[in-house]
Amino acid sequence: MLAGWRADLPASIVVSLVALPLCLGVALASGAPLFSGLIAGIVGGIVVGLLSRSPLSVSGPAAGLTVIVFDAIQSLPSYQVFLAAVVLAGVLQIAFSVSRAGVLSEFVPSSVITGMLAAIGLILILKQVPFAFGYEKEFEGSENFIEADGGNTLSSLWVGLMDRVTPGAAIIGIACIVFLFAWDKLKPKQGPLKLLPGPLVVVLLGVTANALFAALAPSLALEAKHLVQVPIAQGFDGFVGLFTLPDFSQIGSAVLWTTAATLAIVASLESLLSVKAVDEIDPRRRSTDKNWELLAQGSGNIVSGMIGGLPVTSVIVRSSANVMAGAETKASAVMHGVWLLLSVALIPAVLNLIPLAALAAVLIHTGYKLANPALFIERFRQGFTQFIPFVVTVVAILFTDLLIGIVIGLAVGFVFVVARNFRPAITFAVDGEDCLLRARRNLYFIHKYELQQALNKVPDGAVLVIDLSSTNYVDLDNVDIINAFIKGAAFRNIDVHVRGDVAERTAPMINAPSYGVRFA
């Protein structure tokens, strides 16, 4: 795990900087104590990071769970009882792991996964541009198109750019964005500077700029609402007091178990999809054990719930930032959790000097890499069967939320999968009394009608060759159709020959010597 520490160390710093405001934002939107989001981020990094077999995925509190968490906190007797639901959700996730439910993620088409990544990239850009200009209307990490006050992503973007610009934040945000894109081209390939993460530079740039504003141009200095706002504890006892234990007194409550099951299912789906997406953008194209990932996520939720944290999932924003920052192993995720812990415990006042505009620049830069125009061009060149599910997924996620958009993308993707399987699978040719029926690929129940129609074209007295050499599998429905034809062939003076390895393997089912069947 430490083999790639030269790449993982700077990447972990970048991820921790990205994760900090997201943890706070998700906690705020969930109606939970702010520190609970930081606890989830720390646990997601250290506990899940150590247990997970995903080399690049990063876990923490997820924006996709905010509505569920908010409603659960309101419906349960106390926040402590909600924490018990988080613990039980973790137990259920481990049960999912044992039942090998993680395999479900392997059925998601790649066009939907890349569509999800591109949509997240566009969401990052659209949601973070207002932050870069000082208009902090939505919570950090929001993925929903419709916002709490009835507005939406596009209206907030318009108002943020046209009507609510904070000059100091805009100067910092624009300068940081320009630097990050320039750094991609100008970053030294050799020497110590090659390990210097651009996002760390822009954070230092933002802090320095705001300090200069305060000293030289007070009108440009940022207010506290434009800065990171980490809870500051008074001494060690105060820090320990920020942690909360769960209350299991309502263990027999149906509401508690319903909440736990809902959290377990949604958190598992988001984690599996995120890990699958991260595997897609991993430069080494490594594959993660999805069942083991559910075990890691469940363990993380048990620990998070036991000490007062929000539920955790694998989060695509943090994971993408990790990949883009050049991480090589899961040490980056673990170290990011350590940096979060040390920072909030030892230097919360320093963290509160960081402008949100600087962090928005980091996320906008990450979003551009995820939604690079070259990705859209590549999908278009692959044909409409790939491009349409990709675009539908992007649009659906942009105008709904992550999970609803993925469901819509999956539905469209599976329509194309079914359509591809309905393309002609059988070729039929006739020349006088010689007939050839060739299966171009495996035959399933959906090909029954096509097979029957082809056999209906065979004239009396013909010599028919059924060529199954291009198949690895012929299901029993089609075998029954072939057998039925063979039984009637003798009465029509039809000589039937069946060819192919599949025919050899299924000979006991298809072979009927009394009806003239011979295997070539």
Side-chain angles (χ1 to χ4, degrees):
M1 188 171 72
L2 296 177
W5 72 269
R6 290 180 182 274
D8 292 331
L9 179 60
S12 69
I13 296 172
V14 172
V15 179
S16 63
L17 291 172
V18 168
L20 182 63
L22 298 182
C23 291
L24 296 170
V26 170
L28 179 65
S30 301
L34 286 181
F35 198 71
S36 65
L38 294 171
I39 292 173
I42 293 166
V43 170
I46 299 175
V47 177
V48 178
L50 286 172
L51 292 176
S52 175
R53 291 179 179 173
S54 173
L56 299 175
S57 172
V58 181
S59 297
L65 293 176
T66 52
V67 174
I68 296 172
V69 172
F70 183 86
D71 291 342
I73 292 175
Q74 298 301 312
S75 62
L76 292 170
S78 66
Y79 181 69
Q80 289 77 9
V81 174
F82 168 74
L83 293 178
V86 176
V87 174
L88 294 175
V91 174
L92 291 175
Q93 285 183 290
I94 293 177
F96 295 161
S97 171
V98 173
S99 64
R100 306 192 65 78
V103 71
L104 294 175
S105 66
E106 302 299 341
F107 293 95
V108 180
S110 62
S111 57
V112 175
I113 293 296
T114 53
M116 180 182 77
L117 289 167
I120 289 295
L122 292 173
I123 287 173
L124 284 177
I125 295 171
L126 295 173
K127 292 285 190 182
Q128 293 299 320
V129 165
F131 280 90
F133 285 81
Y135 180 47
E136 293 85 11
K137 179 187 176 185
E138 269 276 85
F139 71 91
E140 279 277 15
S142 172
E143 296 167 353
N144 295 341
F145 181 73
I146 302 298
E147 298 173 350
D149 65 352
N152 58 59
T153 301
L154 298 179
S155 65
S156 291
L157 178 64
W158 177 260
V159 173
L161 290 175
M162 298 294 109
D163 197 33
R164 303 289 178 85
V165 174
T166 301
I171 292 172
I172 292 173
I174 293 172
C176 291
I177 292 171
V178 171
F179 174 85
L180 285 171
F181 280 94
W183 186 249
D184 284 343
K185 298 183 180 298
L186 303 177
K187 182 178 179 180
K189 303 299 182 184
Q190 301 294 331
L193 286 180
K194 77 172 185 177
L195 297 177
L196 182 64
L200 177 60
V201 176
V202 301
V203 167
L204 296 176
L205 177 64
V207 172
T208 303
N210 194 43
L212 291 175
F213 290 159
L216 304 176
S219 63
L220 295 177
L222 300 180
E223 300 176 21
K225 67 179 181 179
H226 300 304
L227 306 173
V228 172
Q229 299 181 52
V230 176
I232 298 178
Q234 301 300 317
F236 179 76
D237 291 339
F239 180 71
V240 173
L242 294 173
F243 295 86
T244 307
L245 296 177
D247 177 5
F248 289 97
S249 62
Q250 303 293 314
I251 192 70
S253 166
V255 177
L256 177 66
W257 281 99
T258 300
T259 300
T262 303
L263 289 173
I265 293 170
V266 177
S268 297
L269 286 173
E270 187 156 345
S271 292
L272 290 174
L273 289 169
S274 295
V275 169
K276 179 75 173 174
V278 174
D279 286 350
E280 289 279 337
I281 57 176
D282 179 5
R284 301 186 188 180
R285 304 295 292 176
R286 290 164 287 189
S287 180
T288 300
D289 184 333
K290 309 303 188 301
N291 293 307
W292 190 271
E293 185 65 25
L294 288 176
L295 174 66
Q297 296 293 335
S299 302
N301 276 318
I302 291 174
V303 174
S304 186
M306 289 299 295
I307 59 177
L310 293 174
V312 301
T313 74
S314 173
V315 186
I316 192 60
V317 174
R318 266 161 271 194
S319 302
S320 300
N322 194 37
V323 175
M324 302 307 171
E328 293 183 358
T329 73
K330 67 179 185 177
S332 175
V334 176
M335 285 190 285
H336 120 275
V338 173
W339 302 144
L340 282 178
L341 175 60
L342 294 177
S343 298
V344 301
L346 303 178
I347 55 169
V350 174
L351 296 179
N352 289 344
L353 298 176
I354 301 175
L356 292 176
L359 296 176
V362 175
L363 289 170
I364 290 170
H365 184 245
T366 300
Y368 176 80
K369 290 184 175 181
L370 288 174
N372 193 304
L375 176 63
F376 289 80
I377 295 172
E378 178 186 355
R379 281 293 170 183
F380 179 77
R381 288 174 175 171
Q382 290 173 346
F384 285 109
T385 59
Q386 293 294 316
F387 186 66
I388 292 179
F390 167 77
V391 171
V392 168
T393 302
V394 171
V395 173
I397 292 175
L398 280 178
F399 289 97
T400 56
D401 61 32
L402 183 64
L403 292 177
I404 293 176
I406 288 173
V407 169
I408 294 172
L410 282 174
V412 174
F414 284 131
V415 167
F416 277 89
V417 170
V418 172
R420 283 198 298 270
N421 280 284
F422 270 111
R423 289 183 301 179
I426 294 172
T427 300
F428 181 80
V430 58
D431 181 12
E433 294 184 349
D434 296 324
C435 299
L436 172 65
L437 188 155
R438 174 175 294 154
R440 299 163 62 183
R441 58 180 181 274
N442 292 345
L443 298 181
Y444 301 99
F445 74 96
I446 61 174
H447 300 120
K448 288 170 57 179
Y449 177 78
E450 187 181 358
L451 175 62
Q452 187 65 65
Q453 291 299 104
L455 289 173
N456 288 343
K457 296 177 183 178
V458 179
D460 294 347
V463 176
L464 171 65
V465 175
I466 300 177
D467 186 358
L468 302 177
S469 58
S470 296
T471 67
N472 293 312
Y473 173 77
V474 178
D475 76 353
L476 290 177
D477 287 336
N478 289 289
V479 169
D480 287 341
I481 290 173
I482 294 173
N483 277 334
F485 181 84
I486 290 171
K487 288 181 180 179
F491 299 99
R492 298 172 56 194
N493 195 29
I494 297 174
D495 191 14
V496 182
H497 304 252
V498 183
R499 294 178 178 174
D501 293 339
V502 169
E504 298 286 355
R505 292 196 299 273
T506 58
M509 291 182 286
I510 294 180
N511 189 15
S514 62
Y515 298 113
V517 178
R518 294 191 297 276
F519 291 96

